[in-house]
Amino acid sequence: MLAGKFYTIVTQQQPDAQSVHTTIALNAAHPIFEGHFPNQPIVPGVCMMQIVQELVSGVVGKNLLIQKAASMKFLNMIDPVQQPQVNVEITYSTVEEGIKATAVIKHEAMVFLKFQGLFK
């Protein structure tokens, strides 16, 4: 889990029964950034997806794994020094196959990740 070490939840709101909006603070001193990349930290794409997975799991109250990525677009890099806090907006629904989710990670108008997929 990345929660508590790589990132912390600053605020979390559920505007309705099938969405959650979370502001997270990234830990720019985390050891991941020593290798990704020294003196130019960038949040790895796999970490962005892990954050989404952890937030969806927390909202539905069970551990989920990604089953299918219908769409996954990394649009910009997150520098934890320049963007120490980012917003994660997730909408989700329960379907026969699992939890269908759409997620966006952004800071103000800059979008870093757009994802649509299935968790189970």
Side-chain angles (χ1 to χ4, degrees), residues 18-31:
Q18 294 187 316
S19 65
V20 61
H21 296 179
T22 308
T23 300
I24 61 170
L26 298 165
N27 176 7
H30 192 278

Side-chain angles (χ1 to χ4, degrees), residues 28-110:
H30 192 278
I32 284 175
F33 297 118
E34 292 173 11
H36 205 273
F37 295 97
N39 301 316
Q40 293 183 319
I42 297 170
V43 175
V46 69
C47 292
M48 289 187 228
M49 283 307 306
Q50 180 70 25
I51 290 166
V52 171
Q53 176 196 340
E54 289 179 15
L55 294 175
V56 172
S57 293
V59 165
V60 301
K62 58 182 167 181
N63 288 333
L64 300 170
L65 296 174
I66 189 167
Q67 295 298 305
K68 180 180 179 182
S71 175
M72 184 184 306
K73 296 181 181 180
F74 298 96
L75 302 168
N76 288 291
M77 294 179 281
I78 303 174
D79 177 336
V81 175
Q82 298 295 320
Q83 295 95 14
Q85 291 189 0
V86 295
N87 299 307
V88 185
E89 297 178 358
I90 302 169
T91 57
Y92 59 94
S93 60
T94 302
V95 295
E96 187 175 319
E97 300 86 7
I99 305 293
K100 186 177 178 182
T102 300
V104 176
I105 299 179
K106 64 183 186 175
H107 176 74
E108 297 174 355
M110 183 176 285

